[in-house]
Amino acid sequence: MTTIASNLQTVRERIATACASAGRSVADVTLLAVSKTFGPGAVREAHAAGQLAFGENYVQEALQKMADLADLPLQWHCIGPLQSNKTRPVAEHFDWVHTVDRLKIAERLAAQRPPERPPLNVCIQVNVDGGPTKAGVAPAEALALARAVAALPGLRLRGIMTIPEPASNFVAARALHASARAVFDQLNAAGLALDTLSMGMSADLEAAVAEGSTLVRVGSAIFGGRPALGA
């Protein structure tokens, strides 16, 4: 068994244990393997171990990987900050975008999504802990943005995504994720029928699952430490 395959098995066991502790079905939590800065070979190894969904932060790097791996039936998620000048390749090539935090970006994605492709799955990024330098819409503004995004053609609003500050322990991490869950529940109560709560990473996936995460984004626990850019 390769290291990546072994790591994937360990992460899946962590998710299963977290789901059991929370009284949830493991089928309700999707594992997104964050493959940014790792080459096509690493993605192939993960796919051979049963992984289908991959998250990328850097558009140009991701496009090259998609070309190199076009023979595999992979699902690609954009999970990095998205600038206006990068919306077209994302709209044309990705299956999911987790980082929509303003209407302008959503409008560009909607206009640029090829009509022959299925709607682009979208999550709104919410800044749940108020970090001033962090991306994401404020929780109080999430509903208005969600309604506007849901009305756009070519997009399918699926839920919200959060990247809270690292917490010192399980209880603190769970509290941060609970605040994101509250936003998610508010949007659903408003009639938006969302199904995706994208939160939790390598260090805090157990706390995220305990608070209802439906998609955890795990990189280093699968692929190891990240190589330096340009290395």
Side-chain angles (χ1 to χ4, degrees):
M1 183 181 293
T2 67
T3 300
I4 288 174
S6 176
N7 290 346
L8 269 169
Q9 182 173 317
T10 299
V11 170
R12 289 172 182 144
E13 289 170 354
R14 286 176 61 190
I15 293 170
T17 300
C19 285
S21 296
R24 301 180 60 196
S25 168
V26 72
D28 293 337
V29 180
T30 296
L31 172 59
L32 181 66
V34 179
S35 46
K36 67 176 182 181
T37 75
F38 290 94
V43 175
R44 283 192 184 276
E45 284 190 45
H47 173 264
Q51 182 64 29
L52 297 177
F54 293 87
E56 292 284 335
N57 286 56
Y58 311 112
V59 174
Q60 289 307 123
E61 176 196 337
L63 295 178
Q64 184 59 57
K65 250 179 267 190
M66 290 177 191
D68 292 340
L69 299 164
D71 57 306
L72 299 181
L74 305 180
Q75 184 185 83
W76 294 100
H77 295 235
C78 178
I79 59 172
L82 191 53
Q83 303 301 321
S84 295
N85 63 350
K86 293 291 179 66
T87 56
R88 182 173 294 279
V90 171
E92 291 177 346
H93 296 284
F94 280 83
D95 303 295
W96 283 72
V97 179
H98 290 233
T99 50
V100 171
D101 61 359
R102 56 196 188 280
L103 184 58
K104 176 184 177 182
I105 294 294
E107 289 173 337
R108 290 178 65 87
L109 290 169
Q112 295 165 347
R113 183 66 168 176
E116 68 274 10
R117 295 210 62 185
L120 180 63
N121 296 293
V122 169
C123 289
I124 289 172
Q125 185 172 352
V126 181
N127 183 355
V128 292
D129 49 8
T133 63
K134 290 171 60 177
V137 65
E141 299 167 2
L143 178 56
L145 178 58
R147 282 177 167 154
V149 172
L152 292 172
L155 305 181
R156 182 184 174 195
L157 180 63
R158 298 294 296 268
I160 69 169
M161 183 271 262
T162 63
I163 311 176
E165 291 296 319
S168 58
N169 56 57
F170 177 84
V171 173
R174 186 163 178 174
L176 285 171
H177 292 312
S179 62
R181 174 63 182 267
V183 175
F184 180 72
D185 289 345
Q186 176 202 12
L187 302 190
N188 271 321
L192 286 167
L194 307 180
D195 63 8
T196 301
L197 182 52
S198 170
M199 65 182 188
M201 297 184 282
S202 292
D204 65 348
L205 71 84
E206 286 84 1
V209 169
E211 286 300 331
S213 174
T214 68
L215 186 150
V216 293
R217 309 178 306 271
V218 178
S220 59
I222 295 172
F223 296 106
R226 302 214 173 275
L229 288 175

